[in-house]
Amino acid sequence: MKTNFVNLLSGTLLSLCLAAGANAQSQMANTAPLQPPAAKKNPKQLTMHGVTRTDNYYWLNQREDPEVIAYLNAENSYLKQKMAHTEALQEKLYNEMRGRIREDDASVPFLENGFYYYTRYEKGGEYPLYCRRKGSLTATEEIMINGNEMGKGKGYFSISGWQVSPNSNLLTFAVDTIGRRICNLRFKDLKTGKMLPDVITATTPNVTWAADNQTVFYTRQDLQTLRWDKIYRHKLGTDPAKDVLVYNEPDETFYASVGRSKSRKYILINSGNSSSMTSEAQYLEAGNPAGTFRMFLPRQKGHQYDVDHADGKFYIRTNDGAQNFKLMSAAEGNLAKTGWKEVVPHRPDVLLEGFDLFKDYLVLQERAKGLTQIQVRAWSGEAHFPDFGEAAYTASVAHNPEYNTKTLRYNYTSMTTPQSVYDYDMAARTRKLMKQTEVPGSFDSENYQTERLFATASDGTKVPVSLVYRKGIRKDGNNPLLVYGYGSYGISMNPGFNSSALSLLDRGFVYAIAHIRGGQDMGRAWYEDGKLFKKKNTFTDFIACTEFLQKEGFSRPEKTFAMGGSAGGLLMGAVMNMRPDLYKGMIAAVPFVDVVTTMLDSSIPLTTNEYDEWGNPNEKEYFDYMLSYSPYDHIETKKYPNLLITTGLHDSQVQYWEPAKWVARLRELNKEKNLLLLYTNMEAGHGGASGRFRRYKETAMQYAFLLDLAGVKQQ
């Protein structure tokens, strides 16, 4: 499961994913026998649509129960004992990963309202400093927020959603110290350097300023379900308890958020559910914050649209009669759908993912043949595409707050190219590399090879696979192979660079991303063919990709491993039940595995919002289909691969008890004497540990698990 308005998952999961399970004659599997924790059985009968399921471990869903905490701690202790012999390797891996990160790094500054904004890290610091310089990059630095000072001594700490007022004098930002994405909004006077007394508790990080420099609009979530459902208005200096509720989203399957148009003329409230492809927008002039929001276009089931504004027009990306979306425009005074004018037509072979507006140019972010591309259109001229020159890559439009400019900033990366930031002159069609993330040490991209291949699914569909490995490997079936997949919510798993993965590649691993259905890698139809009653395509696609890679000689079952997180953890559980023989080991990170029980409990965060992704099991046809693949419900008495399963006690998206119950039940029925380990981060949520370096401790543990099982001698 995931939060619809937080599209962090690609980067976070890719960072987590590159640790799976593996094999050979593993020292880990041959250590002296230790007795694993035994969760007590307390049978609970769950009956729906005439079907009764017995859940012996339902009791684990009490986060505050000391017995639950004791069990999770016991699992952590068991893992530590089973992996004790890898501690030196873990330390070596951690030092490698940390050594590939420049400690005193900084982002590329962006210009907004006469200030250059950037973040930077100090040597040894876990958290960034948020800074700016007025007028030029040589001006005196102003530190707006010092994350290291604010995060000192905290088990979890995160700053997000920072926004500077239109007059550049005030700052608001969100602080999360638990990991459940429930934040406190803080305010700072940037002229005096003093924090303001206004503190708004229990919010999301979603906030935007009105034009008066005194008013902000922000989003609150339901504290039980965590659904973003309410938009409030706060005026500085007033009691937050008296903030005005300006919008309450009534549909329990929808989320609401607030933002500002490119023109900065309008505040926009967006309500939507990407799974159902339905959305709605409202607008209010930013100079009239006490006014009433007006409807842009009422929601209609199956109509998904988003809007922006510039130069007296609204621009609308819409799927109305356009599965892959088209771009329309509407004059401010005539928003009726009948008055919309076509700007970019629908193209059956190109997915329009987004757009950005400039005074002289329109920029489109698109996806064709499974790869991202950027189209630049002069309002009064022809279109063109910057050339990226690699077989598998990811390009995306970056943050471009300025409207009257000919410079487009975009991001670029591939599986062999570190994250790069370019400034592109849209008139001259030239680009300038502003920064490529430095990888300290001996890294040389020429030592690695990337490929893009196609596997054939069981129904004949061609499924893309992106690969990276160190040059010189032989396709003789003897390479350890890690296959990663996700395949849900229309989220595409773009091929990108991860410096941590070098610790695997340099030890002989091949790393593959299976671009399976359920994502949006090959267009909107790719997503629709992997959801609801077509969900099993996601699982069979992944199996087909694994079989293809083995047939091509990249590996064999005894050396093949798989990894997925969140909804990708569901993928791991389903695939493991269907074809455990294909894999030596798996890592399932924060896995969504108890599909039926979770989707029947509307009090659990994100459930109702996801009916259009998985189905509503209160309806028998959806219940039956979910039950036919739900990993927790299909554990059998048979041999399973080596498993490392991770979770966070404060996870707001996949509750910790799903993986905990899964492990407990697997201990009952798994006939193989393979490893079965559960790691719970007792201080974190869905994204794992906070901090720039601390998270690599967990990654090092995962890599050690993988390398030890793979029997890799080069430690």
Side-chain angles (χ1 to χ4, degrees):
M1 303 176 80
K2 74 167 184 67
T3 304
N4 284 327
F5 290 99
V6 182
N7 198 11
L8 307 173
L9 208 49
S10 308
T12 301
L13 287 178
L14 193 56
S15 176
L16 284 172
C17 81
L18 293 173
N23 175 57
Q25 281 303 108
S26 165
Q27 179 185 355
M28 191 179 299
N30 294 324
T31 53
L34 293 170
Q35 193 66 28
K40 74 175 183 181
K41 291 184 180 181
N42 186 6
K44 182 177 179 63
Q45 304 297 314
L46 303 170
T47 301
M48 191 71 176
H49 302 301
V51 177
T52 297
R53 297 173 297 133
T54 300
D55 189 345
N56 290 323
Y57 305 105
Y58 190 88
W59 67 274
L60 284 169
N61 69 354
Q62 301 299 317
R63 185 179 281 105
E64 306 302 325
D65 186 340
E67 191 173 2
V68 171
I69 299 301
Y71 169 69
L72 297 177
N73 283 328
E75 286 284 3
N76 282 348
S77 296
Y78 176 70
L79 176 146
K80 185 174 179 62
Q81 293 176 73
K82 293 295 287 185
M83 295 189 65
H85 68 282
T86 71
E87 288 181 358
L89 174 59
Q90 290 184 50
E91 187 66 20
K92 179 178 177 62
L93 291 168
Y94 172 75
N95 289 331
E96 284 181 9
M97 295 173 211
R98 182 163 181 163
R100 297 190 192 105
I101 300 171
R102 179 174 170 176
E103 295 203 23
D104 56 345
D105 204 1
S107 66
V108 180
F110 66 84
L111 178 64
E112 185 170 10
N113 286 346
F115 285 85
Y116 287 92
Y117 292 90
Y118 58 97
T119 59
R120 67 175 178 85
Y121 289 91
E122 294 181 326
K123 190 172 182 179
E126 286 282 356
Y127 303 105
L129 281 66
Y130 299 83
C131 309
R132 69 177 185 176
R133 297 176 190 266
K134 186 175 182 179
S136 76
L137 293 174
T138 59
T140 302
E141 179 183 73
E142 176 186 349
I143 298 175
M144 300 186 297
I145 312 171
N146 188 324
N148 291 319
E149 290 182 359
M150 294 192 70
K152 189 180 300 182
K154 294 180 172 61
Y156 182 92
F157 179 76
S158 174
I159 289 176
S160 57
W162 66 274
Q163 298 284 332
V164 176
S165 62
N167 65 5
S168 304
N169 292 335
L170 299 167
L171 172 73
T172 183
F173 58 97
V175 178
D176 178 4
T177 57
I178 296 177
R180 255 181 104 70
R181 297 176 182 171
I182 299 175
C183 306
N184 291 338
L185 284 182
R186 304 294 306 275
F187 296 85
K188 184 176 182 179
D189 186 327
L190 295 177
K191 294 182 71 176
T192 66
K194 295 181 179 180
M195 298 296 296
L196 299 182
D198 304 66
V199 178
I200 308 175
T201 60
T203 77
T204 77
N206 178 228
V207 61
T208 195
W209 287 92
D212 66 352
N213 302 294
Q214 288 294 306
T215 304
V216 294
F217 293 88
Y218 63 92
T219 307
R220 270 205 164 113
Q221 66 275 75
D222 182 292
L223 293 181
Q224 177 65 33
T225 67
L226 302 186
R227 181 172 70 93
W228 295 17
D229 61 348
K230 295 178 178 64
I231 309 292
Y232 284 87
R233 183 179 71 232
H234 174 74
K235 189 168 184 178
L236 293 179
T238 65
D239 183 357
K242 297 179 180 179
D243 285 355
V244 177
L245 176 66
V246 299
Y247 181 68
N248 186 2
E249 173 52 57
D251 191 325
E252 64 179 7
T253 70
F254 274 48
Y255 271 50
S257 64
V258 65
R260 190 114 174 237
S261 67
K262 183 69 176 275
S263 64
R264 302 172 185 163
K265 183 176 180 180
Y266 291 102
I267 304 293
L268 300 169
I269 290 178
N270 295 294
S271 299
N273 182 333
S274 61
S275 297
S276 66
M277 297 177 288
T278 304
S279 61
E280 180 180 81
Q282 301 173 59
Y283 65 101
L284 171 71
E285 289 199 19
N288 181 30
T292 301
F293 279 85
R294 290 175 285 176
M295 183 64 65
F296 186 87
L297 183 72
R299 69 190 65 179
Q300 182 178 357
K301 180 72 173 179
H303 184 205
Q304 186 175 358
Y305 72 92
D306 50 85
V307 302
D308 204 348
H309 175 272
D311 199 23
K313 291 182 181 179
F314 284 97
Y315 290 85
I316 310 104
R317 188 183 74 108
T318 170
N319 70 345
D320 182 33
Q323 185 181 45
N324 278 335
F325 292 88
K326 60 186 176 183
L327 188 66
M328 309 292 283
S329 68
E332 282 182 329
N334 182 20
L335 300 185
K337 201 171 170 185
T338 54
W340 291 6
K341 295 182 179 179
E342 187 175 86
V343 180
V344 179
H346 174 255
R347 294 154 293 169
D349 58 342
V350 179
L351 174 66
L352 176 58
E353 293 187 324
F355 65 96
D356 204 347
L357 304 169
F358 298 87
K359 184 176 185 297
D360 298 318
Y361 296 91
L362 167 66
V363 175
L364 308 176
Q365 184 165 310
E366 305 173 333
R367 187 176 295 272
K369 298 180 180 179
L371 291 173
T372 53
Q373 62 186 26
I374 296 174
Q375 182 181 165
V376 179
R377 290 187 170 209
W379 291 115
S380 58
E382 61 181 7
H384 68 277
F385 299 83
D387 180 30
F388 304 122
E390 287 192 85
Y393 64 87
T394 300
S396 61
V397 176
H399 183 50
N400 290 275
E402 294 294 299
Y403 176 64
N404 188 12
T405 179
K406 290 181 170 57
T407 300
L408 167 71
R409 177 161 292 174
Y410 70 84
N411 299 316
Y412 179 84
T413 183
S414 76
M415 298 179 87
T416 60
T417 306
Q419 182 68 46
S420 306
V421 178
Y422 286 91
D423 277 356
Y424 183 74
D425 188 319
M426 294 183 280
R429 303 188 183 184
T430 58
R431 66 178 184 175
K432 179 181 180 181
L433 178 62
M434 303 302 293
K435 179 182 179 179
Q436 184 172 94
T437 299
E438 181 183 344
V439 184
S442 60
F443 170 73
D444 183 349
S445 63
E446 293 300 316
N447 292 331
Y448 304 91
Q449 177 71 41
T450 183
E451 291 189 60
R452 187 173 176 81
L453 305 175
F454 287 84
T456 302
S458 54
D459 63 359
T461 301
K462 298 295 184 181
V463 183
V465 183
S466 296
L467 293 164
V468 65
Y469 50 84
R470 193 171 177 95
K471 289 179 179 177
I473 69 163
R474 296 179 180 179
K475 298 180 183 179
D476 58 4
N478 287 319
N479 308 295
L481 167 68
L482 172 60
V483 188
Y484 170 71
Y486 187 68
S488 292
Y489 304 104
I491 293 178
S492 301
M493 290 293 102
N494 297 316
F497 185 79
N498 187 311
S499 64
S500 297
L502 299 176
S503 291
L504 299 179
L505 303 182
D506 290 346
R507 290 174 170 86
F509 265 81
V510 176
Y511 173 59
I513 301 174
H515 302 282
I516 51 184
R517 280 175 284 186
Q520 208 160 234
D521 306 67
M522 299 290 282
R524 195 68 181 184
W526 201 251
Y527 170 40
E528 294 174 17
D529 280 347
K531 63 185 287 196
L532 296 173
F533 292 116
K534 297 181 178 180
K535 187 64 209 170
K536 290 181 183 178
N537 285 337
T538 303
F539 316 140
T540 55
D541 281 2
F542 191 85
I543 290 170
C545 290
T546 302
E547 291 177 321
F548 168 76
L549 292 170
Q550 291 175 353
K551 183 179 179 181
E552 290 294 305
F554 286 101
S555 192
R556 61 180 188 271
E558 295 81 9
K559 286 182 170 287
T560 299
F561 314 97
M563 168 64 189
S566 196
L570 162 65
L571 171 69
M572 293 298 103
V575 167
M576 184 180 77
N577 286 335
M578 296 166 71
R579 291 296 307 275
D581 57 301
L582 286 177
Y583 307 94
K584 180 63 182 182
M586 290 182 170
I587 285 184
V590 291
F592 173 41
V593 287
D594 192 9
V595 183
V596 177
T597 305
T598 290
M599 293 304 295
L600 280 169
D601 188 348
S602 61
S603 70
I604 293 177
L606 312 179
T607 297
T608 57
N609 179 61
E610 307 211 346
Y611 286 158
D612 291 306
E613 178 73 23
W614 313 102
N616 182 351
N618 292 291
E619 300 175 24
K620 188 177 187 305
E621 57 180 349
Y622 288 114
F623 174 89
D624 290 343
Y625 189 74
M626 283 184 196
L627 189 58
S628 73
Y629 67 76
S630 175
Y632 185 64
D633 293 290
H634 281 271
I635 299 171
E636 299 174 348
T637 304
K638 63 182 180 184
K639 296 181 179 180
Y640 285 103
N642 295 282
L643 293 170
L644 172 60
I645 298 163
T646 69
T647 187
L649 181 64
H650 302 291
D651 196 328
S652 61
Q653 292 163 267
V654 178
Q655 306 303 306
Y656 73 89
W657 59 77
E658 288 199 44
K661 293 197 308 178
W662 192 36
V663 168
R665 193 168 187 184
L666 280 166
R667 289 208 192 283
E668 276 189 77
L669 300 176
N670 187 2
K671 289 181 66 178
E672 186 59 70
K673 294 182 179 179
N674 283 336
L675 284 167
L676 175 56
L677 302 176
L678 173 66
Y679 172 72
T680 304
N681 187 319
M682 306 300 283
E683 296 182 327
H686 199 63
S690 68
R692 192 181 185 202
F693 301 113
R694 278 192 296 179
R695 66 186 64 199
Y696 292 107
K697 289 288 187 180
E698 293 182 16
T699 307
M701 175 192 69
Q702 294 169 342
Y703 278 32
F705 175 86
L706 169 61
L707 291 164
D708 187 65
L709 287 171
V712 174
K713 300 302 181 184
Q714 180 188 346
Q715 303 276 292

